[in-house]
Short mmCIF file of all heavy atoms in Angstrom, two decimals:
data_model
loop_
_atom_site.label_atom_id
_atom_site.label_comp_id
_atom_site.label_asym_id
_atom_site.label_seq_id
_atom_site.Cartn_x
_atom_site.Cartn_y
_atom_site.Cartn_z
N LEU Z 45 25.43 141.34 137.57
CA LEU Z 45 26.46 140.94 138.62
C LEU Z 45 27.55 140.12 138.12
O LEU Z 45 28.68 140.27 138.48
CB LEU Z 45 25.63 140.12 139.72
CG LEU Z 45 26.37 139.72 140.86
CD1 LEU Z 45 26.98 140.95 141.60
CD2 LEU Z 45 25.46 138.93 141.89
N GLY Z 46 27.24 139.12 137.27
CA GLY Z 46 28.33 138.28 136.73
C GLY Z 46 29.37 138.96 136.01
O GLY Z 46 30.64 138.80 136.19
N GLU Z 47 28.89 140.02 135.11
CA GLU Z 47 29.97 140.86 134.42
C GLU Z 47 30.72 141.73 135.40
O GLU Z 47 31.92 142.04 135.11
CB GLU Z 47 29.23 141.65 133.36
CG GLU Z 47 28.70 140.79 132.13
CD GLU Z 47 27.53 140.06 132.60
OE1 GLU Z 47 26.69 140.47 133.40
OE2 GLU Z 47 27.26 138.84 132.01
N PHE Z 48 30.14 142.16 136.35
CA PHE Z 48 30.80 143.08 137.42
C PHE Z 48 31.91 142.29 138.06
O PHE Z 48 33.09 142.71 138.13
CB PHE Z 48 29.80 143.48 138.48
CG PHE Z 48 30.52 144.21 139.60
CD1 PHE Z 48 30.86 145.52 139.51
CD2 PHE Z 48 30.85 143.48 140.76
CE1 PHE Z 48 31.51 146.14 140.65
CE2 PHE Z 48 31.50 144.10 141.89
CZ PHE Z 48 31.77 145.40 141.69
N GLU Z 49 31.65 141.04 138.41
CA GLU Z 49 32.64 140.15 139.00
C GLU Z 49 33.76 139.92 138.04
O GLU Z 49 34.95 139.79 138.39
CB GLU Z 49 32.06 138.85 139.55
CG GLU Z 49 31.02 138.95 140.66
CD GLU Z 49 31.71 139.37 141.93
OE1 GLU Z 49 32.83 139.01 142.19
OE2 GLU Z 49 31.07 140.14 142.65
N GLN Z 50 33.34 139.87 136.72
CA GLN Z 50 34.42 139.63 135.73
C GLN Z 50 35.36 140.83 135.55
O GLN Z 50 36.54 140.68 135.29
CB GLN Z 50 33.65 139.36 134.31
CG GLN Z 50 34.38 138.54 133.29
CD GLN Z 50 33.48 137.97 132.33
OE1 GLN Z 50 32.31 138.44 132.21
NE2 GLN Z 50 33.88 136.97 131.62
N GLY Z 51 34.79 142.02 135.64
CA GLY Z 51 35.66 143.22 135.54
C GLY Z 51 36.37 143.57 136.72
O GLY Z 51 37.31 144.35 136.70
N LEU Z 52 35.98 143.04 138.04
CA LEU Z 52 36.42 143.49 139.21
C LEU Z 52 38.10 143.34 139.32
O LEU Z 52 38.72 144.26 139.79
CB LEU Z 52 35.79 142.73 140.34
CG LEU Z 52 35.98 143.28 141.73
CD1 LEU Z 52 35.55 144.84 141.78
CD2 LEU Z 52 35.13 142.55 142.72
N PRO Z 53 38.52 142.19 138.85
CA PRO Z 53 40.04 142.11 139.02
C PRO Z 53 40.87 143.14 138.29
O PRO Z 53 41.89 143.67 138.63
CB PRO Z 53 40.40 140.79 138.30
CG PRO Z 53 39.11 139.97 138.39
CD PRO Z 53 37.99 141.02 138.27
N VAL Z 54 40.31 143.74 137.07
CA VAL Z 54 41.01 144.71 136.29
C VAL Z 54 40.88 146.07 137.11
O VAL Z 54 41.90 146.69 137.21
CB VAL Z 54 40.35 144.95 134.97
CG1 VAL Z 54 40.98 146.02 134.13
CG2 VAL Z 54 40.39 143.59 134.17
N ILE Z 115 32.39 145.37 129.86
CA ILE Z 115 32.65 143.91 130.14
C ILE Z 115 31.89 142.97 129.34
O ILE Z 115 30.57 143.04 129.27
CB ILE Z 115 32.37 143.65 131.64
CG1 ILE Z 115 33.09 144.82 132.55
CG2 ILE Z 115 32.93 142.34 132.05
CD1 ILE Z 115 34.56 144.94 132.34
N LYS Z 116 32.51 142.14 128.67
CA LYS Z 116 32.04 140.89 127.96
C LYS Z 116 31.36 141.12 126.65
O LYS Z 116 31.79 140.94 125.64
CB LYS Z 116 31.31 140.03 128.87
CG LYS Z 116 31.17 138.56 128.34
CD LYS Z 116 30.44 137.63 129.31
CE LYS Z 116 30.38 136.20 128.69
NZ LYS Z 116 29.74 135.25 129.57
N ILE Z 137 36.52 144.10 127.73
CA ILE Z 137 37.17 143.12 128.64
C ILE Z 137 36.49 141.79 128.61
O ILE Z 137 35.33 141.60 128.65
CB ILE Z 137 37.16 143.70 130.09
CG1 ILE Z 137 37.78 145.09 130.13
CG2 ILE Z 137 37.89 142.75 131.05
CD1 ILE Z 137 39.14 145.21 129.79
N SER Z 138 37.32 140.68 128.35
CA SER Z 138 36.87 139.36 128.41
C SER Z 138 35.73 139.13 127.34
O SER Z 138 34.76 138.41 127.66
CB SER Z 138 36.35 138.92 129.77
OG SER Z 138 37.47 138.92 130.71
N GLN Z 168 38.39 136.27 124.87
CA GLN Z 168 38.72 135.11 125.68
C GLN Z 168 39.43 134.04 124.89
O GLN Z 168 40.10 133.22 125.42
CB GLN Z 168 37.48 134.50 126.22
CG GLN Z 168 36.67 135.41 127.18
CD GLN Z 168 35.53 134.73 127.83
OE1 GLN Z 168 35.43 133.48 127.99
NE2 GLN Z 168 34.59 135.52 128.27
N ASP Z 190 40.05 134.92 130.14
CA ASP Z 190 38.89 135.47 130.88
C ASP Z 190 39.32 135.87 132.29
O ASP Z 190 39.96 135.11 133.05
CB ASP Z 190 37.92 134.21 131.02
CG ASP Z 190 36.50 134.66 131.58
OD1 ASP Z 190 36.44 135.75 132.10
OD2 ASP Z 190 35.54 133.90 131.38
N THR Z 191 39.00 137.10 132.62
CA THR Z 191 39.40 137.59 133.89
C THR Z 191 38.65 136.98 135.09
O THR Z 191 39.05 137.08 136.27
CB THR Z 191 39.11 139.13 133.88
OG1 THR Z 191 37.69 139.33 133.56
CG2 THR Z 191 39.97 139.94 133.02
N ARG Z 192 37.62 136.15 134.82
CA ARG Z 192 36.95 135.52 135.93
C ARG Z 192 37.84 134.51 136.52
O ARG Z 192 37.69 134.20 137.78
CB ARG Z 192 35.70 134.77 135.34
CG ARG Z 192 34.57 135.70 135.09
CD ARG Z 192 33.30 134.85 134.59
NE ARG Z 192 33.63 134.03 133.51
CZ ARG Z 192 32.95 132.99 133.10
NH1 ARG Z 192 31.87 132.59 133.86
NH2 ARG Z 192 33.26 132.29 132.03
#
Side-chain angles (χ1 to χ4, degrees):
L45 182 58
E47 290 75 33
F48 172 82
E49 294 292 327
Q50 207 161 16
L52 197 53
V54 176
I115 311 302
K116 195 173 181 179
I137 305 299
S138 295
Q168 294 186 28
D190 191 342
T191 52
R192 285 184 303 161

